[in-house]
Amino acid sequence: MIVAERLSWVLKLRRGHKLNMEVFFQQFSNGLAIGGIYALIALGYTMVYGVLRLINFAHGDLFTSGAFLGYTFLVSLALGQSAGTVGAILLVVLLVMGVAAFLGYVLERCAYRPLRRSNRLNAVVSAIGASIVIQNSIMLIYGPQVLVFPAGMKPNVIVEIFGLNFPLMRFFLFGASVMLMLGLYFFINRTRLGTAIRAVAIDQDASRLMGIDVSQIISLMFMIGAALGGAAGVMVGVYYGQITFTMGWIYGLKAFTAAIMGGIGNIPGAMLGGMLLGMVESMAAAYISAGWKDAITFLVLIVILICRPTGLLGERVAEKI
Amino acid sequence: MLLRIKNLRVAYGNVEALHGVDIEVREGEIVAILGANGAGKSTTLRAISGLHRPKSGEILFAGQPLHSLPSHEIVMRGVVQAPEGRRVFATLTVGENLEMGAFVCKDKKTVASRLKKVLDLFPRLGERREQLAGTLSGGEQQMLAIGRALMSGPRLLLLDEPSLGLAPIMIKPIFSTIKAINQAGVTVLLVEQSAFVALKVAHRAYVLDVGKVVMSGSGANLLKDPEVQKTYLGGGRK
Ligand SMILES: Nc1ncnc2c1ncn2[C@@H]1O[C@H](COP(=O)(O)OP(=O)(O)O)[C@@H](O)[C@H]1O
Ligand SMILES: [Mg+2]
Protein backbone atom coordinates (compact mmCIF):
# COMPACT_ATOMS: atom_id res chain seq x y z
CA MET A 1 0.00 0.00 0.00
CA ILE A 2 2.53 2.52 1.18
CA VAL A 3 4.83 1.63 -1.68
CA ALA A 4 2.03 2.07 -4.17
CA GLU A 5 1.13 5.47 -2.72
CA ARG A 6 4.73 6.57 -2.84
CA LEU A 7 4.99 5.41 -6.39
CA SER A 8 1.90 7.27 -7.51
CA TRP A 9 3.16 10.35 -5.69
CA VAL A 10 6.42 10.19 -7.60
CA LEU A 11 4.53 9.66 -10.83
CA LYS A 12 2.36 12.64 -10.03
CA LEU A 13 5.42 14.80 -9.56
CA ARG A 14 6.93 13.71 -12.82
CA ARG A 15 3.78 14.00 -14.85
CA GLY A 16 2.42 16.80 -12.71
CA HIS A 17 1.18 19.05 -15.44
CA LYS A 18 -0.66 16.46 -17.44
CA LEU A 19 -2.20 14.95 -14.32
CA ASN A 20 -3.47 18.30 -13.15
CA MET A 21 -5.13 18.90 -16.46
CA GLU A 22 -6.58 15.43 -16.39
CA VAL A 23 -7.95 15.84 -12.87
CA PHE A 24 -9.48 19.15 -13.87
CA PHE A 25 -11.21 17.81 -16.96
CA GLN A 26 -12.39 14.66 -15.22
CA GLN A 27 -13.91 16.70 -12.42
CA PHE A 28 -15.31 19.16 -14.89
CA SER A 29 -17.14 16.48 -16.87
CA ASN A 30 -18.32 14.88 -13.65
CA GLY A 31 -19.55 18.30 -12.49
CA LEU A 32 -21.55 18.69 -15.70
CA ALA A 33 -23.28 15.35 -15.17
CA ILE A 34 -24.08 15.93 -11.49
CA GLY A 35 -24.94 19.58 -12.06
CA GLY A 36 -27.48 18.60 -14.70
CA ILE A 37 -29.06 16.18 -12.23
CA TYR A 38 -29.22 18.81 -9.47
CA ALA A 39 -30.65 21.32 -11.91
CA LEU A 40 -33.45 18.96 -12.93
CA ILE A 41 -34.42 18.35 -9.31
CA ALA A 42 -34.06 22.04 -8.41
CA LEU A 43 -36.55 22.93 -11.15
CA GLY A 44 -39.26 21.00 -9.33
CA TYR A 45 -38.75 23.00 -6.14
CA THR A 46 -38.61 26.29 -7.95
CA MET A 47 -41.64 25.73 -10.18
CA VAL A 48 -43.93 24.79 -7.31
CA TYR A 49 -42.56 27.65 -5.23
CA GLY A 50 -43.14 30.02 -8.15
CA VAL A 51 -46.90 29.43 -8.21
CA LEU A 52 -47.66 28.48 -4.59
CA ARG A 53 -44.88 30.14 -2.53
CA LEU A 54 -44.52 26.75 -0.92
CA ILE A 55 -41.58 24.37 -0.58
CA ASN A 56 -42.63 20.91 -1.73
CA PHE A 57 -40.84 18.90 0.94
CA ALA A 58 -41.91 15.66 -0.70
CA HIS A 59 -40.12 16.51 -3.94
CA GLY A 60 -36.94 14.62 -2.99
CA ASP A 61 -39.05 11.52 -2.53
CA LEU A 62 -40.60 11.89 -5.96
CA PHE A 63 -37.02 11.85 -7.21
CA THR A 64 -36.42 8.63 -5.25
CA SER A 65 -39.58 7.16 -6.76
CA GLY A 66 -38.14 7.93 -10.17
CA ALA A 67 -34.92 6.09 -9.33
CA PHE A 68 -36.79 3.00 -8.14
CA LEU A 69 -39.21 3.03 -11.06
CA GLY A 70 -36.19 3.25 -13.32
CA TYR A 71 -34.72 0.22 -11.58
CA THR A 72 -37.97 -1.67 -12.03
CA PHE A 73 -38.19 -0.90 -15.73
CA LEU A 74 -34.51 -1.43 -16.52
CA VAL A 75 -33.62 -4.37 -14.30
CA SER A 76 -36.76 -6.17 -13.22
CA LEU A 77 -38.57 -5.85 -16.52
CA ALA A 78 -35.25 -6.20 -18.35
CA LEU A 79 -36.00 -3.50 -20.88
CA GLY A 80 -32.23 -3.09 -21.17
CA GLN A 81 -31.83 -6.40 -22.97
CA SER A 82 -34.49 -5.77 -25.55
CA ALA A 83 -33.63 -2.25 -26.66
CA GLY A 84 -29.88 -1.80 -26.30
CA THR A 85 -28.56 0.15 -23.35
CA VAL A 86 -28.70 3.79 -24.39
CA GLY A 87 -32.02 3.39 -26.18
CA ALA A 88 -33.41 1.54 -23.18
CA ILE A 89 -32.31 4.25 -20.78
CA LEU A 90 -33.93 6.93 -22.92
CA LEU A 91 -37.13 4.94 -23.13
CA VAL A 92 -37.10 4.30 -19.39
CA VAL A 93 -36.49 7.98 -18.65
CA LEU A 94 -39.59 8.85 -20.66
CA LEU A 95 -41.69 6.13 -19.03
CA VAL A 96 -40.56 7.17 -15.55
CA MET A 97 -41.30 10.82 -16.32
CA GLY A 98 -44.86 9.85 -17.17
CA VAL A 99 -45.39 7.82 -14.01
CA ALA A 100 -43.66 10.46 -11.85
CA ALA A 101 -45.89 13.17 -13.34
CA PHE A 102 -48.88 11.12 -12.29
CA LEU A 103 -47.43 10.76 -8.76
CA GLY A 104 -46.86 14.52 -8.63
CA TYR A 105 -50.46 15.08 -9.65
CA VAL A 106 -51.74 12.72 -6.95
CA LEU A 107 -49.44 14.32 -4.36
CA GLU A 108 -50.83 17.78 -5.07
CA ARG A 109 -54.41 16.55 -5.04
CA CYS A 110 -54.08 14.67 -1.74
CA ALA A 111 -51.51 16.60 0.27
CA TYR A 112 -51.76 20.21 -0.89
CA ARG A 113 -55.03 21.07 -2.55
CA PRO A 114 -57.24 20.37 0.48
CA LEU A 115 -55.05 22.83 2.42
CA ARG A 116 -54.86 25.54 -0.25
CA ARG A 117 -56.83 27.98 1.87
CA SER A 118 -55.46 27.05 5.25
CA ASN A 119 -52.34 28.50 6.79
CA ARG A 120 -48.88 27.84 5.48
CA LEU A 121 -47.67 25.77 8.43
CA ASN A 122 -50.40 23.18 7.79
CA ALA A 123 -49.18 22.76 4.24
CA VAL A 124 -45.60 22.30 5.47
CA VAL A 125 -46.67 19.62 7.95
CA SER A 126 -48.69 17.91 5.23
CA ALA A 127 -45.68 18.03 2.90
CA ILE A 128 -43.43 16.39 5.47
CA GLY A 129 -46.13 13.78 6.07
CA ALA A 130 -46.32 13.07 2.35
CA SER A 131 -42.54 12.74 2.24
CA ILE A 132 -42.61 10.10 4.99
CA VAL A 133 -45.47 8.24 3.30
CA ILE A 134 -43.67 8.06 -0.05
CA GLN A 135 -40.35 7.08 1.50
CA ASN A 136 -41.91 4.33 3.58
CA SER A 137 -43.97 3.06 0.68
CA ILE A 138 -40.80 2.68 -1.35
CA MET A 139 -39.14 0.86 1.54
CA LEU A 140 -42.09 -1.51 1.94
CA ILE A 141 -42.22 -2.26 -1.77
CA TYR A 142 -38.51 -2.60 -2.53
CA GLY A 143 -37.05 -3.34 0.91
CA PRO A 144 -34.64 -1.29 3.00
CA GLN A 145 -31.42 -2.56 1.40
CA VAL A 146 -29.34 -0.79 -1.24
CA LEU A 147 -30.38 -1.86 -4.73
CA VAL A 148 -27.47 -2.35 -7.08
CA PHE A 149 -27.84 -2.13 -10.84
CA PRO A 150 -26.30 -5.21 -12.54
CA ALA A 151 -22.84 -4.48 -13.92
CA GLY A 152 -23.93 -4.94 -17.54
CA MET A 153 -26.72 -2.46 -17.01
CA LYS A 154 -24.36 0.41 -16.44
CA PRO A 155 -22.93 1.26 -19.84
CA ASN A 156 -19.22 1.77 -19.44
CA VAL A 157 -18.25 3.20 -22.77
CA ILE A 158 -15.13 5.33 -22.63
CA VAL A 159 -14.53 8.15 -25.07
CA GLU A 160 -11.16 9.67 -25.75
CA ILE A 161 -10.98 13.45 -26.04
CA PHE A 162 -7.58 15.18 -26.44
CA GLY A 163 -5.89 12.05 -25.22
CA LEU A 164 -7.96 11.88 -22.03
CA ASN A 165 -10.45 9.11 -21.33
CA PHE A 166 -13.96 10.00 -20.18
CA PRO A 167 -16.92 7.79 -19.39
CA LEU A 168 -19.44 8.51 -22.14
CA MET A 169 -22.22 8.32 -19.55
CA ARG A 170 -21.33 11.74 -18.18
CA PHE A 171 -21.89 13.46 -21.48
CA PHE A 172 -24.98 11.42 -22.11
CA LEU A 173 -26.48 12.51 -18.77
CA PHE A 174 -25.43 16.10 -19.25
CA GLY A 175 -26.89 16.09 -22.76
CA ALA A 176 -30.16 14.57 -21.54
CA SER A 177 -30.58 17.14 -18.80
CA VAL A 178 -29.75 19.99 -21.18
CA MET A 179 -32.36 18.70 -23.63
CA LEU A 180 -34.98 18.52 -20.89
CA MET A 181 -34.12 22.02 -19.69
CA LEU A 182 -34.22 23.47 -23.19
CA GLY A 183 -37.58 21.80 -23.72
CA LEU A 184 -38.87 23.31 -20.50
CA TYR A 185 -37.45 26.72 -21.33
CA PHE A 186 -39.11 26.66 -24.72
CA PHE A 187 -42.40 25.52 -23.23
CA ILE A 188 -42.43 28.22 -20.55
CA ASN A 189 -41.32 31.07 -22.79
CA ARG A 190 -42.76 30.32 -26.17
CA THR A 191 -46.14 28.65 -25.69
CA ARG A 192 -49.51 29.96 -24.60
CA LEU A 193 -49.71 27.55 -21.69
CA GLY A 194 -46.18 28.52 -20.65
CA THR A 195 -47.17 32.18 -20.67
CA ALA A 196 -50.15 31.29 -18.50
CA ILE A 197 -47.76 29.59 -16.07
CA ARG A 198 -45.72 32.78 -15.85
CA ALA A 199 -48.89 34.82 -15.42
CA VAL A 200 -50.06 32.63 -12.53
CA ALA A 201 -46.65 33.00 -10.88
CA ILE A 202 -47.03 36.79 -11.08
CA ASP A 203 -50.63 37.26 -9.96
CA GLN A 204 -53.10 34.45 -9.32
CA ASP A 205 -56.25 36.55 -9.05
CA ALA A 206 -55.47 38.53 -12.19
CA SER A 207 -54.87 35.19 -13.96
CA ARG A 208 -58.27 33.93 -12.81
CA LEU A 209 -59.81 37.09 -14.23
CA MET A 210 -58.24 36.23 -17.58
CA GLY A 211 -60.01 32.89 -17.53
CA ILE A 212 -56.96 30.83 -16.57
CA ASP A 213 -57.83 27.80 -14.45
CA VAL A 214 -55.25 28.36 -11.73
CA SER A 215 -55.78 24.96 -10.10
CA GLN A 216 -55.01 23.29 -13.38
CA ILE A 217 -51.80 25.29 -13.74
CA ILE A 218 -50.77 24.31 -10.21
CA SER A 219 -51.37 20.63 -11.03
CA LEU A 220 -49.30 21.08 -14.15
CA MET A 221 -46.42 22.56 -12.12
CA PHE A 222 -46.40 19.55 -9.80
CA MET A 223 -46.50 17.21 -12.77
CA ILE A 224 -43.65 18.84 -14.66
CA GLY A 225 -41.55 19.14 -11.51
CA ALA A 226 -42.13 15.51 -10.62
CA ALA A 227 -41.38 14.37 -14.17
CA LEU A 228 -38.04 16.20 -14.20
CA GLY A 229 -37.23 14.92 -10.71
CA GLY A 230 -38.12 11.38 -11.78
CA ALA A 231 -35.83 11.66 -14.81
CA ALA A 232 -33.04 12.80 -12.48
CA GLY A 233 -33.73 9.74 -10.31
CA VAL A 234 -33.18 7.37 -13.22
CA MET A 235 -30.00 9.24 -14.14
CA VAL A 236 -28.55 8.92 -10.64
CA GLY A 237 -29.39 5.22 -10.69
CA VAL A 238 -27.55 4.51 -13.92
CA TYR A 239 -24.67 6.87 -13.11
CA TYR A 240 -23.81 5.56 -9.67
CA GLY A 241 -25.33 2.11 -10.14
CA GLN A 242 -26.99 1.97 -6.73
CA ILE A 243 -30.03 3.43 -5.04
CA THR A 244 -31.62 3.48 -1.58
CA PHE A 245 -35.01 4.58 -0.39
CA THR A 246 -33.52 7.45 1.64
CA MET A 247 -31.53 8.96 -1.25
CA GLY A 248 -34.15 11.66 -1.83
CA TRP A 249 -33.19 13.38 1.40
CA ILE A 250 -29.66 14.45 0.49
CA TYR A 251 -30.37 15.02 -3.22
CA GLY A 252 -33.46 16.98 -2.30
CA LEU A 253 -31.50 19.11 0.14
CA LYS A 254 -28.76 19.81 -2.39
CA ALA A 255 -31.17 20.61 -5.19
CA PHE A 256 -33.16 22.84 -2.86
CA THR A 257 -29.88 24.59 -2.07
CA ALA A 258 -29.30 24.96 -5.80
CA ALA A 259 -32.75 26.47 -6.26
CA ILE A 260 -32.03 29.00 -3.50
CA MET A 261 -28.61 29.79 -4.98
CA GLY A 262 -30.22 30.60 -8.32
CA GLY A 263 -33.12 32.49 -6.72
CA ILE A 264 -36.10 30.36 -5.70
CA GLY A 265 -39.06 30.71 -8.04
CA ASN A 266 -36.79 31.53 -10.95
CA ILE A 267 -36.52 28.83 -13.61
CA PRO A 268 -33.20 29.82 -15.26
CA GLY A 269 -31.96 30.38 -11.70
CA ALA A 270 -32.61 26.74 -10.79
CA MET A 271 -30.74 25.60 -13.89
CA LEU A 272 -27.79 27.85 -13.14
CA GLY A 273 -27.82 27.00 -9.41
CA GLY A 274 -27.88 23.27 -10.13
CA MET A 275 -24.99 23.40 -12.61
CA LEU A 276 -22.97 25.60 -10.29
CA LEU A 277 -23.57 23.38 -7.31
CA GLY A 278 -22.58 20.23 -9.21
CA MET A 279 -19.42 21.92 -10.43
CA VAL A 280 -18.42 23.31 -7.02
CA GLU A 281 -19.00 19.95 -5.41
CA SER A 282 -17.01 18.08 -8.01
CA MET A 283 -14.09 20.50 -7.92
CA ALA A 284 -14.08 20.71 -4.12
CA ALA A 285 -13.92 16.93 -3.89
CA ALA A 286 -10.80 16.87 -6.05
CA TYR A 287 -8.93 19.98 -5.00
CA ILE A 288 -9.87 20.42 -1.37
CA SER A 289 -11.20 17.26 0.16
CA ALA A 290 -13.89 14.76 -0.70
CA GLY A 291 -14.97 14.71 2.93
CA TRP A 292 -15.49 18.45 2.99
CA LYS A 293 -17.34 18.80 -0.30
CA ASP A 294 -20.77 19.23 1.29
CA ALA A 295 -19.49 21.77 3.79
CA ILE A 296 -17.90 23.72 0.95
CA THR A 297 -21.10 23.58 -1.07
CA PHE A 298 -23.03 25.16 1.78
CA LEU A 299 -20.27 27.68 2.34
CA VAL A 300 -20.75 28.77 -1.28
CA LEU A 301 -24.48 29.03 -0.65
CA ILE A 302 -23.91 31.22 2.38
CA VAL A 303 -21.50 33.49 0.53
CA ILE A 304 -23.95 33.86 -2.37
CA LEU A 305 -26.82 34.66 -0.03
CA ILE A 306 -24.75 37.25 1.83
CA CYS A 307 -23.80 38.97 -1.43
CA ARG A 308 -27.17 38.48 -3.12
CA PRO A 309 -29.94 37.65 -0.65
CA THR A 310 -32.39 36.87 -3.46
CA GLY A 311 -30.05 34.38 -5.11
CA LEU A 312 -28.09 34.76 -8.33
CA LEU A 313 -31.03 35.53 -10.62
CA GLY A 314 -33.48 36.22 -7.81
CA GLU A 315 -34.49 39.74 -8.66
CA ARG A 316 -36.10 38.49 -11.82
CA VAL A 317 -38.68 36.61 -9.78
CA ALA A 318 -42.05 38.01 -10.71
CA GLU A 319 -42.58 41.03 -8.56
CA LYS A 320 -46.10 41.75 -7.35
CA ILE A 321 -47.55 45.12 -8.14
CA MET B 1 -81.86 41.80 -18.15
CA LEU B 2 -78.22 40.89 -18.75
CA LEU B 3 -77.04 40.93 -15.13
CA ARG B 4 -79.20 40.64 -12.06
CA ILE B 5 -77.76 40.70 -8.58
CA LYS B 6 -80.27 39.79 -5.88
CA ASN B 7 -79.81 40.32 -2.16
CA LEU B 8 -76.08 39.72 -2.37
CA ARG B 9 -74.26 39.23 0.92
CA VAL B 10 -70.50 38.83 0.97
CA ALA B 11 -68.31 38.46 4.05
CA TYR B 12 -64.57 38.50 4.69
CA GLY B 13 -64.23 36.03 7.54
CA ASN B 14 -66.86 37.06 10.06
CA VAL B 15 -67.13 40.62 8.81
CA GLU B 16 -69.89 41.19 6.32
CA ALA B 17 -68.93 43.68 3.61
CA LEU B 18 -72.13 43.58 1.53
CA HIS B 19 -75.44 43.45 3.37
CA GLY B 20 -77.89 42.50 0.66
CA VAL B 21 -77.13 44.38 -2.55
CA ASP B 22 -79.48 44.48 -5.55
CA ILE B 23 -78.14 45.67 -8.89
CA GLU B 24 -79.44 45.21 -12.43
CA VAL B 25 -77.74 45.84 -15.72
CA ARG B 26 -79.54 45.75 -19.08
CA GLU B 27 -77.91 44.70 -22.31
CA GLY B 28 -76.15 47.66 -23.94
CA GLU B 29 -76.02 49.88 -20.86
CA ILE B 30 -73.18 51.57 -19.03
CA VAL B 31 -74.00 51.27 -15.35
CA ALA B 32 -71.88 52.91 -12.66
CA ILE B 33 -71.45 51.89 -9.03
CA LEU B 34 -70.38 54.85 -6.94
CA GLY B 35 -69.42 55.15 -3.33
CA ALA B 36 -66.74 56.12 -0.88
CA ASN B 37 -63.62 54.09 -0.19
CA GLY B 38 -64.58 50.86 1.58
CA ALA B 39 -68.24 50.98 0.52
CA GLY B 40 -68.02 47.51 -1.06
CA LYS B 41 -67.73 48.37 -4.75
CA SER B 42 -64.74 46.12 -5.45
CA THR B 43 -66.25 43.38 -3.32
CA THR B 44 -69.31 43.44 -5.57
CA LEU B 45 -67.20 43.05 -8.70
CA ARG B 46 -65.03 40.37 -7.10
CA ALA B 47 -68.15 38.41 -6.26
CA ILE B 48 -69.44 38.69 -9.83
CA SER B 49 -66.10 37.41 -11.17
CA GLY B 50 -66.08 34.50 -8.73
CA LEU B 51 -62.97 35.61 -6.85
CA HIS B 52 -64.99 35.68 -3.65
CA ARG B 53 -67.93 33.38 -2.92
CA PRO B 54 -71.07 35.15 -1.70
CA LYS B 55 -72.53 34.18 1.66
CA SER B 56 -75.99 34.32 0.17
CA GLY B 57 -77.92 35.91 -2.64
CA GLU B 58 -77.87 35.42 -6.39
CA ILE B 59 -75.87 36.64 -9.36
CA LEU B 60 -77.62 35.83 -12.62
CA PHE B 61 -76.05 36.49 -16.01
CA ALA B 62 -78.42 36.15 -18.96
CA GLY B 63 -80.64 34.19 -16.58
CA GLN B 64 -77.91 31.73 -15.57
CA PRO B 65 -76.40 31.67 -12.06
CA LEU B 66 -72.75 32.74 -11.86
CA HIS B 67 -72.30 32.57 -8.10
CA SER B 68 -71.37 28.90 -8.03
CA LEU B 69 -69.01 28.91 -11.02
CA PRO B 70 -65.20 29.12 -10.88
CA SER B 71 -63.72 32.33 -12.27
CA HIS B 72 -62.47 30.89 -15.54
CA GLU B 73 -65.95 29.63 -16.42
CA ILE B 74 -67.41 33.04 -15.68
CA VAL B 75 -64.95 34.50 -18.22
CA MET B 76 -66.02 31.84 -20.73
CA ARG B 77 -69.64 32.92 -20.28
CA GLY B 78 -68.64 36.43 -21.37
CA VAL B 79 -68.12 38.35 -18.12
CA VAL B 80 -64.65 39.80 -17.77
CA GLN B 81 -63.09 42.24 -15.32
CA ALA B 82 -60.31 44.81 -15.48
CA PRO B 83 -59.50 44.88 -11.77
CA GLU B 84 -58.69 47.75 -9.45
CA GLY B 85 -55.05 48.77 -9.65
CA ARG B 86 -54.85 47.40 -13.23
CA ARG B 87 -52.94 44.26 -12.20
CA VAL B 88 -51.21 43.87 -15.56
CA PHE B 89 -48.57 41.11 -15.60
CA ALA B 90 -45.56 43.35 -15.10
CA THR B 91 -42.87 40.91 -16.25
CA LEU B 92 -44.75 39.76 -19.33
CA THR B 93 -44.66 41.80 -22.51
CA VAL B 94 -47.62 43.87 -23.63
CA GLY B 95 -48.25 41.30 -26.36
CA GLU B 96 -48.19 38.42 -23.88
CA ASN B 97 -50.58 40.27 -21.58
CA LEU B 98 -53.01 40.62 -24.46
CA GLU B 99 -52.52 36.98 -25.38
CA MET B 100 -53.45 36.02 -21.80
CA GLY B 101 -56.60 38.10 -22.12
CA ALA B 102 -57.66 35.75 -24.89
CA PHE B 103 -56.76 32.64 -22.90
CA VAL B 104 -60.27 31.19 -23.03
CA CYS B 105 -60.43 31.56 -26.80
CA LYS B 106 -58.86 28.62 -28.61
CA ASP B 107 -59.49 29.86 -32.14
CA LYS B 108 -56.42 31.62 -33.54
CA LYS B 109 -58.30 33.59 -36.18
CA THR B 110 -60.72 35.03 -33.65
CA VAL B 111 -57.83 35.97 -31.39
CA ALA B 112 -56.04 37.70 -34.26
CA SER B 113 -59.11 39.72 -35.22
CA ARG B 114 -59.73 40.76 -31.61
CA LEU B 115 -56.09 41.75 -31.27
CA LYS B 116 -56.44 43.94 -34.32
CA LYS B 117 -59.52 45.63 -32.86
CA VAL B 118 -57.82 46.23 -29.52
CA LEU B 119 -54.74 47.68 -31.20
CA ASP B 120 -56.96 49.95 -33.30
CA LEU B 121 -58.59 51.14 -30.10
CA PHE B 122 -55.23 51.60 -28.33
CA PRO B 123 -52.55 52.24 -30.97
CA ARG B 124 -50.10 52.97 -28.16
CA LEU B 125 -50.18 49.29 -27.16
CA GLY B 126 -49.24 48.26 -30.68
CA GLU B 127 -46.12 50.40 -30.56
CA ARG B 128 -45.12 48.85 -27.25
CA ARG B 129 -45.98 45.25 -27.94
CA GLU B 130 -42.53 43.84 -27.16
CA GLN B 131 -42.08 45.99 -24.06
CA LEU B 132 -42.58 44.61 -20.53
CA ALA B 133 -45.94 45.75 -19.16
CA GLY B 134 -44.33 46.95 -15.94
CA THR B 135 -42.42 49.62 -17.88
CA LEU B 136 -45.59 51.28 -19.20
CA SER B 137 -46.95 54.51 -17.73
CA GLY B 138 -50.05 54.35 -15.54
CA GLY B 139 -52.35 55.44 -18.36
CA GLU B 140 -50.85 52.90 -20.76
CA GLN B 141 -51.21 50.18 -18.15
CA GLN B 142 -54.88 51.05 -17.80
CA MET B 143 -55.28 50.80 -21.57
CA LEU B 144 -53.56 47.43 -21.41
CA ALA B 145 -55.82 46.26 -18.58
CA ILE B 146 -58.91 47.22 -20.59
CA GLY B 147 -57.50 45.90 -23.86
CA ARG B 148 -56.54 42.63 -22.19
CA ALA B 149 -60.08 42.26 -20.84
CA LEU B 150 -61.54 42.91 -24.31
CA MET B 151 -59.41 40.12 -25.77
CA SER B 152 -61.79 37.55 -24.26
CA GLY B 153 -64.61 38.99 -26.37
CA PRO B 154 -66.89 39.85 -23.41
CA ARG B 155 -70.60 40.60 -23.38
CA LEU B 156 -70.23 42.32 -20.03
CA LEU B 157 -67.13 44.29 -19.10
CA LEU B 158 -66.51 45.05 -15.43
CA LEU B 159 -64.20 48.00 -14.77
CA ASP B 160 -62.94 48.68 -11.26
CA GLU B 161 -61.80 52.29 -10.88
CA PRO B 162 -60.28 52.80 -14.32
CA SER B 163 -59.32 56.38 -13.40
CA LEU B 164 -57.48 55.42 -10.19
CA GLY B 165 -53.99 56.89 -10.02
CA LEU B 166 -54.08 58.33 -13.54
CA ALA B 167 -52.79 61.74 -14.50
CA PRO B 168 -55.82 64.04 -14.93
CA ILE B 169 -55.23 64.41 -18.69
CA MET B 170 -55.47 60.61 -19.06
CA ILE B 171 -58.90 60.35 -17.44
CA LYS B 172 -60.95 61.88 -20.24
CA PRO B 173 -59.54 59.68 -23.03
CA ILE B 174 -60.06 56.56 -20.92
CA PHE B 175 -63.72 57.43 -20.41
CA SER B 176 -64.32 58.26 -24.06
CA THR B 177 -62.79 54.87 -24.88
CA ILE B 178 -65.19 53.23 -22.44
CA LYS B 179 -68.02 54.96 -24.27
CA ALA B 180 -66.69 53.73 -27.62
CA ILE B 181 -66.41 50.17 -26.33
CA ASN B 182 -70.00 50.37 -25.17
CA GLN B 183 -71.16 51.71 -28.52
CA ALA B 184 -69.45 48.77 -30.17
CA GLY B 185 -71.90 46.55 -28.28
CA VAL B 186 -70.28 45.68 -24.95
CA THR B 187 -72.31 46.22 -21.80
CA VAL B 188 -70.27 47.96 -19.09
CA LEU B 189 -70.51 47.86 -15.31
CA LEU B 190 -68.20 50.52 -13.99
CA VAL B 191 -67.00 51.18 -10.45
CA GLU B 192 -65.77 54.67 -9.68
CA GLN B 193 -64.90 56.91 -6.80
CA SER B 194 -64.71 59.98 -9.01
CA ALA B 195 -68.45 60.20 -9.42
CA PHE B 196 -68.53 63.16 -11.76
CA VAL B 197 -66.80 61.58 -14.79
CA ALA B 198 -68.58 58.29 -14.20
CA LEU B 199 -72.04 59.85 -14.10
CA LYS B 200 -71.36 61.69 -17.33
CA VAL B 201 -70.88 58.45 -19.30
CA ALA B 202 -73.23 56.16 -17.34
CA HIS B 203 -76.82 55.56 -18.36
CA ARG B 204 -77.69 54.60 -14.82
CA ALA B 205 -75.89 54.46 -11.50
CA TYR B 206 -76.09 52.96 -8.03
CA VAL B 207 -74.63 54.56 -4.94
CA LEU B 208 -73.22 52.14 -2.38
CA ASP B 209 -72.63 53.06 1.24
CA VAL B 210 -71.19 50.59 3.78
CA GLY B 211 -72.37 47.57 1.89
CA LYS B 212 -75.87 48.75 0.92
CA VAL B 213 -77.36 50.48 -2.11
CA VAL B 214 -78.54 53.85 -0.82
CA MET B 215 -79.51 55.51 -4.08
CA SER B 216 -80.00 54.70 -7.74
CA GLY B 217 -81.22 56.35 -10.89
CA SER B 218 -80.19 57.69 -14.26
CA GLY B 219 -76.77 59.31 -14.56
CA ALA B 220 -78.27 62.69 -15.42
CA ASN B 221 -80.65 62.66 -12.45
CA LEU B 222 -77.99 61.63 -9.97
CA LEU B 223 -75.73 64.39 -11.26
CA LYS B 224 -78.45 66.89 -10.34
CA ASP B 225 -79.32 65.29 -7.00
CA PRO B 226 -78.36 67.63 -4.12
CA GLU B 227 -77.52 64.70 -1.83
CA VAL B 228 -75.15 63.21 -4.40
CA GLN B 229 -73.62 66.59 -5.11
CA LYS B 230 -72.97 67.19 -1.45
CA THR B 231 -71.51 63.76 -0.63
CA TYR B 232 -69.78 62.61 -3.79
CA LEU B 233 -69.26 65.60 -6.02
CA GLY B 234 -68.28 68.20 -3.45
CA GLY B 235 -64.98 69.68 -4.57
CA GLY B 236 -64.56 66.86 -7.09
CA ARG B 237 -66.32 68.86 -9.78
CA LYS B 238 -64.11 70.30 -12.46
N1 LIG C 1 -59.45 40.95 1.57
C1 LIG C 1 -60.19 41.56 2.51
N2 LIG C 1 -60.20 41.09 3.78
C2 LIG C 1 -60.96 41.67 4.73
N3 LIG C 1 -61.74 42.73 4.53
C3 LIG C 1 -61.77 43.25 3.29
C4 LIG C 1 -61.00 42.69 2.23
N4 LIG C 1 -61.23 43.41 1.10
C5 LIG C 1 -62.09 44.38 1.47
N5 LIG C 1 -62.42 44.28 2.77
C6 LIG C 1 -63.36 45.15 3.50
O1 LIG C 1 -64.59 45.12 2.84
C7 LIG C 1 -65.15 46.42 2.77
C8 LIG C 1 -65.41 46.79 1.32
O2 LIG C 1 -64.17 46.89 0.62
P1 LIG C 1 -64.09 47.16 -0.94
O3 LIG C 1 -65.09 46.32 -1.62
O4 LIG C 1 -62.68 46.99 -1.35
O5 LIG C 1 -64.51 48.68 -1.01
P2 LIG C 1 -64.40 49.72 -2.21
O6 LIG C 1 -63.97 49.00 -3.43
O7 LIG C 1 -65.75 50.28 -2.32
O8 LIG C 1 -63.41 50.76 -1.79
C9 LIG C 1 -64.17 47.35 3.46
O9 LIG C 1 -64.61 47.55 4.77
C10 LIG C 1 -62.89 46.58 3.45
O10 LIG C 1 -62.13 46.90 4.57
MG1 LIG D 1 -62.29 49.28 -4.56
Side-chain angles (χ1 to χ4, degrees), chain B residues 12 17 36-43 84 161:
Chain B
Y12 292 101
N37 204 1
K41 307 180 296 294
S42 297
T43 302
E84 184 176 313
E161 308 226 22

Side-chain angles (χ1 to χ4, degrees), chain B residues 103-117:
Chain B
F103 191 79
V104 293
C105 181
K106 303 277 185 274
D107 182 50
K108 279 196 175 149
K109 267 193 193 154
T110 316
V111 174
S113 85
R114 281 181 196 158
L115 181 64
K116 192 179 169 303
K117 275 189 207 157

Side-chain angles (χ1 to χ4, degrees), chain B residues 159-177:
Chain B
L159 296 172
D160 196 345
E161 308 226 22
S163 74
L164 187 75
L166 294 194
I169 50 154
M170 286 307 302
I171 295 179
K172 242 189 165 171
I174 287 283
F175 275 88
S176 40
T177 311

Side-chain angles (χ1 to χ4, degrees), chain A residues 117 189 191-193 195-200 202-214 216-217 316-319 321, chain B residues 46 49 51 71-72 75-76 80-83 85 87-92 96-97 99-106 141 148-149:
Chain A
R117 284 172 201 286
N189 288 294
T191 67
R192 214 171 68 101
L193 203 52
T195 312
I197 288 171
R198 285 180 289 144
V200 169
I202 299 169
D203 188 336
Q204 286 198 16
D205 273 354
S207 303
R208 286 194 178 91
L209 292 177
M210 296 304 106
I212 297 169
D213 183 347
V214 170
Q216 210 180 355
I217 297 284
R316 286 172 56 203
V317 175
E319 69 254 20
I321 347 168
Chain B
R46 288 171 60 81
S49 285
L51 291 182
S71 298
H72 61 274
V75 177
M76 283 183 215
V80 73
Q81 178 177 166
R87 307 277 283 268
V88 296
F89 301 114
T91 50
L92 302 190
E96 286 171 333
N97 268 273
E99 188 190 359
M100 287 300 99
F103 191 79
V104 293
C105 181
K106 303 277 185 274
Q141 287 193 15
R148 183 177 69 169

